[in-house]
Amino acid sequence: MATLPSEELIKIKEKNIMPPLNTSHPSSVTFLLMGIPGLEHLHVWIGIPFCSMYVVAVVGNVTILAVVRAERSLHEPMFLFLCMLSVTDLVLSTSTLPRMLCLFWLGAHDIAFDACLTQMFFIHSFTALESGFFLSMAIDRYVAICHPLHHTTILTHTRITIMGIIVVIRGVAFFSPHPILLKQLPYCRTRIIAHTYCEFMAVVKLACLDTGTTKRYSLSMATIIGSCDAILIAISYVFILRSVFRLPSREASFKALGTCGSHVCVILVFYSTAGFSIFTHRFGKNIPAHIHIFIANIYLLVPPFLNPIVYGVRTKKIREHVLRTLVVKVV
């Protein structure tokens, strides 16, 4: 018996299990995630590197949290912001990867409407948190390098806590309307979401009303938050680099440049892939769907995978504590 393509199976399933398309009760709707259109035959293989990155992200970020909690000497601004970023990475990757792997490996295409909205909220709000904590860490590096004598007096624990609370409130406040807006819409078109997760623009296209205002709100919020954070990060690193080039020791300059360079690479991966995904919905009509969706997955998977490596393994204090703990356990 011939095997039908994944998309054909989804369409058959949609006809068999879906309620009438004119339903007025969106909470009873079940959507079907397609995955990566055109690459359905590679889903099993794509899941392997994705799963590997997820395991590294979880182990790495949990290790950072455990090390900072256990080592009191690490209770300083840089590592406190790093802990906030690690928690964000854990939530962001866990809200997408397990469900995505069920799709790739088990063929679990179904997702309930409320579960879809919950996943969407975590993805968008914690992406905003990720951006905010990147900015917070850039500010910390600016203060540490440009004003080293006043670092601890400027970034006190109280101010660090306030900065963290502001980032969290901003992410939750700006993206809470997303699921609320989608909850009010009637869905009278196909229930197939051509994506690996419940992305806002992919779901809003299924509504049978004019959603221009809703789309503009989402695009404007993502653009304002992302562009403001990126500009402020760029400004902070300009000042950092200016101070680095003024250091009397060439060795110290190269060391600082190496650290800043790795941080900038992680930030560029995050903002470039996130920006590509956001603006492709609006302007990239000719970009193949599988490229768009693949990159949309990258900005959710790669930063949580890279952050523990760049900010953890390359940080001497964390590396030494982990090695010391491993040596003690082995002995």
Side-chain angles (χ1 to χ4, degrees), residues 66-81:
V67 168
V68 174
R69 182 177 182 275
E71 189 66 42
R72 291 192 62 83
S73 64
L74 298 180
H75 294 182
E76 53 187 67
M78 174 184 174
F79 299 107
L80 295 177
F81 284 127

Side-chain angles (χ1 to χ4, degrees), residues 7-79:
E7 186 174 353
E8 293 298 323
L9 289 173
I10 292 175
K11 288 180 179 178
I12 292 172
K13 194 173 186 180
E14 181 186 29
K15 290 179 182 178
N16 291 336
I17 71 170
M18 292 301 175
L21 288 178
N22 63 356
T23 180
S24 59
H25 304 287
S27 294
S28 63
V29 172
T30 299
F31 288 122
L32 294 172
L33 295 167
M34 182 187 296
I36 304 178
L39 299 180
E40 291 90 351
H41 61 292
L42 297 176
H43 276 177
V44 173
W45 300 106
I46 293 172
I48 294 173
F50 279 18
C51 181
S52 301
M53 286 192 289
Y54 176 61
V55 170
V56 172
V58 171
V59 172
N61 285 297
V62 168
T63 300
I64 288 174
L65 292 171
V67 168
V68 174
R69 182 177 182 275
E71 189 66 42
R72 291 192 62 83
S73 64
L74 298 180
H75 294 182
E76 53 187 67
M78 174 184 174
F79 299 107

Side-chain angles (χ1 to χ4, degrees), residues 150-329:
H150 305 287
H151 185 210
T152 54
T153 57
I154 293 175
L155 289 176
T156 61
H157 282 198
T158 301
R159 287 175 179 165
I160 292 169
T161 302
I162 292 173
M163 290 171 68
I165 291 173
I166 290 173
V167 170
V168 172
I169 291 175
R170 185 190 68 167
V172 172
F174 282 121
F175 290 100
S176 289
H178 279 60
I180 296 172
L181 290 170
L182 292 186
K183 189 87 170 178
Q184 312 305 316
L185 296 175
Y187 295 89
C188 54
R189 298 176 183 171
T190 177
R191 304 297 162 76
I192 298 175
I193 301 175
H195 217 296
T196 53
Y197 56 84
C198 287
E199 198 266 347
F200 178 81
M201 295 298 289
V203 176
V204 78
K205 289 177 181 178
L206 306 182
C208 52
L209 295 179
D210 178 24
T211 56
T213 303
T214 305
K215 291 178 181 177
R216 283 191 293 272
Y217 171 79
S218 177
L219 182 64
S220 61
M221 288 299 100
T223 303
I224 290 170
I225 291 176
S227 59
C228 288
D229 288 353
I231 290 170
L232 291 174
I233 289 171
I235 292 172
S236 68
Y237 272 100
V238 167
F239 285 111
I240 288 171
L241 291 175
R242 190 177 68 173
S243 297
V244 165
F245 285 123
R246 290 178 178 176
L247 292 174
S249 169
R250 185 177 295 272
E251 182 181 349
S253 297
F254 281 127
K255 183 178 178 181
L257 281 174
T259 302
C260 292
S262 57
H263 294 184
V264 169
C265 286
V266 174
I267 291 169
L268 285 177
V269 168
F270 175 77
Y271 283 108
S272 60
T273 52
F276 179 90
S277 178
I278 291 168
F279 290 108
T280 296
H281 280 296
R282 184 74 174 177
F283 307 109
K285 304 300 181 183
N286 297 323
I287 296 174
H290 64 276
I291 294 178
H292 170 211
I293 294 172
F294 194 83
I295 293 179
N297 287 307
I298 293 300
Y299 93 85
L300 293 182
L301 305 181
V302 173
F305 162 74
L306 287 180
N307 288 342
I309 298 172
V310 172
Y311 295 109
V313 176
R314 289 176 59 89
T315 302
K316 185 178 179 181
K317 289 184 179 180
I318 292 180
R319 187 172 65 248
E320 287 179 347
H321 181 86
V322 172
L323 291 175
R324 191 165 59 247
T325 303
L326 291 174
V327 169
V328 170
K329 287 186 177 180

